[in-house]
Amino acid sequence: MSTTLAAGTSLDFTLAQQLTVIALCALTAYISHMALAVFNDGVRPFLLDFIQGRTTRSATTAVSFGLSAGFIFGLGAPMALSTGVLNPWLVFLPTDILGILSPKKWLAPILGGAWGAVVVFGLNGANNVAHDLPVDFITAMQQMSTPILFLFTLFPVLAITKQFGRKWGGIAGVLELALVVLTMNVWPKMFAGALAMAVGVLMLIALAVAKDVKQRKADQAAGTSVVVPDDDPMASLFSASAARLRRYLPLFMVLGGGVCLLAQMHIFGGGEATSFLIAKGQYSEAAQVDFYRVFGFIPLIATTALASGAYGIAGFTLVYPIGYLLPNPILAVVVGAAVFAVEVLALSYIGKLLGKLPSVRDSSEHLRSAIGDTLQLAILFGSLMAANAMGGGLGILIVGGLYLLNESMGRPVVKMAAAPAAVIVGGIVLNLLYWLDLFTPIKG
């Protein structure tokens, strides 16, 4: 299976696609202004104090910007330029910030829509300029696709090892390797890691459920049970937060329809690996990848939503894989709205269910950690491959040096985004050296 994209990756959108992005950015900024939902999971817990008036809008904006800026400029923009596919870090993180920043309710959608216009009209121009440079670092960044796609396949193995030990981790690793080799030889047109990831995630869930069932039987045999007091403050908070979100159900349904529509247009990918798969036209494989990610984020999104009274802009992210597979835009809007309605109405039930399945809840944390670990290595390795493609040893020196400098300075740019940002800076430096007759670009 080839994982290299065409050199002429385009960000030239149709009018319908442009209007959808602009309208969705306006809507998400408005919802962020209302403190009803944000995309950044790290920002959501801070919104409770804002909602209850214990902190100011400017202070909350500072938190949002501090937690999001690195991902926007270090990961979102480079990934969009290298794949020709939009992503949530570029589309939704800025509208988090702009919505919270806006002092007036009517101004928030204007600021969000303006950002959407920058995305759909500005990126293609930047993309064209970059491709015309002597050192085409955007095309070089497509080298990241192979390590991202293949190393991402291993995240279930890491999660199983962390939660259930080396024995089960070794079994999962051998099984996944065998399935990758099988897929490459029997179904060469399929993403090689698709079947392996499916089996790995199912294995993790089965082990977690089996552990919880065994523990429950042991508790019942011992006659032990946990009694939650009627006046439990957390239960009261969760109930109030769920009720707050249900009051805005129609608005969330519009949001769900919009996000699902964006995914259906195949100009948007919900993750790093997904963006490359969407760019290659492998929509069913992209849906599979994002579906597995859902298991890692449902407990986090549900608990933070119930604790803060603010939901996720993409909900449980189920609308991503559903949107990729739907045949037409109208169906995407209808299904996306229905999915969000079910999610918001089921929040309280999901919170209670997760309380009864501690191992499953732990599995989601291990999944998120494993996804982060695999992608950090893949993005770093892919960025060094891009550096080599555009500048050989000098490129590796500049990009690797910038990455190490960021580490030694305490990570002013978040680790996940540091390497792609270094590739862009390195590409600019190499072009400057070319114009000074100090560097000859590598051909091909």
Side-chain angles (χ1 to χ4, degrees):
M1 182 194 73
S2 172
T3 56
T4 303
L5 308 183
T9 301
S10 174
L11 282 158
D12 190 14
F13 304 108
T14 66
L15 178 62
Q17 291 168 345
Q18 291 170 347
L19 293 176
T20 298
V21 173
I22 292 171
L24 187 57
C25 285
L27 176 63
T28 54
Y30 175 78
I31 289 174
S32 172
H33 173 85
M34 299 282 288
L36 289 171
V38 289
F39 180 78
N40 193 320
D41 295 318
V43 173
R44 199 171 303 116
F46 291 92
L47 290 182
L48 180 62
D49 285 341
F50 176 66
I51 292 168
Q52 297 182 349
R54 292 194 296 267
T55 189
T56 64
R57 184 172 292 278
S58 59
T60 310
T61 301
V63 170
S64 182
F65 182 83
L67 293 175
S68 302
F71 287 103
I72 297 168
F73 300 109
L75 188 61
M79 287 296 297
L81 289 169
S82 61
T83 62
V85 176
L86 301 179
N87 56 69
W89 307 287
L90 184 65
V91 177
F92 298 141
L93 287 181
T95 59
D96 280 1
I97 299 167
L98 293 171
I100 298 172
L101 171 68
S102 175
K104 301 293 183 181
K105 188 182 297 186
W106 58 267
L107 182 59
I110 294 175
L111 294 175
W115 174 254
V118 169
V119 169
V120 295
F121 296 117
L123 275 181
N124 196 46
N127 190 51
N128 292 337
V129 169
H131 282 308
D132 290 337
L133 292 172
V135 180
D136 183 358
F137 54 87
I138 297 301
T139 298
M141 288 184 71
Q142 294 173 9
Q143 296 287 330
M144 292 194 297
S145 65
T146 300
I148 285 177
L149 289 173
F150 279 90
L151 287 176
F152 186 76
T153 302
L154 292 173
F155 79 86
V157 177
L158 268 64
I160 290 171
T161 305
K162 289 179 178 180
Q163 187 170 6
F164 296 103
R166 288 175 289 182
K167 174 187 172 183
W168 282 112
I171 293 171
V174 171
L175 184 58
E176 281 211 6
L177 177 60
L179 290 171
V180 168
V181 173
L182 175 68
T183 303
M184 293 177 73
N185 286 276
V186 179
W187 304 287
K189 293 185 178 180
M190 180 191 298
F191 168 46
L195 183 59
M197 280 191 290
V199 172
V201 171
L202 288 173
M203 185 175 174
L204 175 65
I205 294 172
L207 288 169
V209 171
K211 183 177 180 180
D212 282 336
V213 170
K214 183 179 179 181
Q215 184 61 48
R216 176 163 291 188
K217 288 181 178 178
D219 290 343
Q220 289 175 346
T224 60
S225 61
V226 178
V227 179
V228 178
D230 294 334
D231 59 347
D232 180 17
M234 288 304 296
S236 177
L237 174 62
F238 280 17
S239 177
S241 296
R244 177 178 188 262
L245 296 176
R246 286 196 299 268
R247 286 200 300 272
Y248 293 93
L249 185 62
L251 188 59
F252 281 116
M253 292 176 69
V254 175
L255 175 62
V259 176
C260 195
L261 173 61
L262 185 64
Q264 192 276 333
M265 289 179 163
H266 298 150
I267 60 169
F268 175 90
E272 299 88 347
T274 316
S275 293
F276 284 107
L277 290 169
I278 292 290
K280 289 170 57 63
Q282 296 180 311
Y283 306 131
S284 59
E285 286 88 346
Q288 190 175 345
V289 168
D290 271 358
F291 179 71
Y292 300 145
R293 289 173 68 111
V294 169
F295 294 104
F297 287 89
I298 283 181
L300 172 67
I301 294 169
T303 52
T304 55
L306 289 169
S308 68
Y311 199 39
I313 285 294
F316 293 144
T317 70
L318 274 170
V319 288
Y320 293 164
I322 291 171
Y324 303 149
L325 299 177
L326 290 176
N328 64 72
I330 296 175
L331 189 59
V333 172
V334 173
V335 173
V339 169
F340 257 50
V342 171
E343 289 181 7
V344 172
L345 292 174
L347 264 179
S348 293
Y349 173 76
I350 293 171
K352 293 176 182 177
L353 180 64
L354 290 172
K356 298 176 181 178
L357 297 171
S359 295
V360 173
R361 190 171 64 246
D362 291 344
S363 292
S364 75
E365 295 178 4
H366 289 299
L367 274 175
R368 290 198 311 277
S369 174
I371 288 172
D373 290 343
T374 54
L375 287 175
Q376 280 180 7
L377 176 61
I379 290 172
L380 174 59
F381 187 64
S383 296
L384 291 175
M385 289 173 64
N388 183 63
M390 69 184 184
L394 180 60
I396 292 175
L397 172 66
I398 295 172
V399 172
L402 288 171
Y403 178 86
L404 292 173
L405 181 63
N406 183 70
E407 288 288 298
S408 65
M409 293 172 63
R411 296 178 186 166
V413 178
V414 291
K415 190 171 185 177
M416 187 82 77
V423 173
I424 291 181
V425 175
I428 294 171
V429 171
L430 289 174
N431 278 290
L432 291 174
L433 292 175
Y434 166 81
W435 288 321
L436 293 171
D437 291 328
L438 297 174
F439 172 72
T440 301
I442 295 176
K443 301 299 180 183

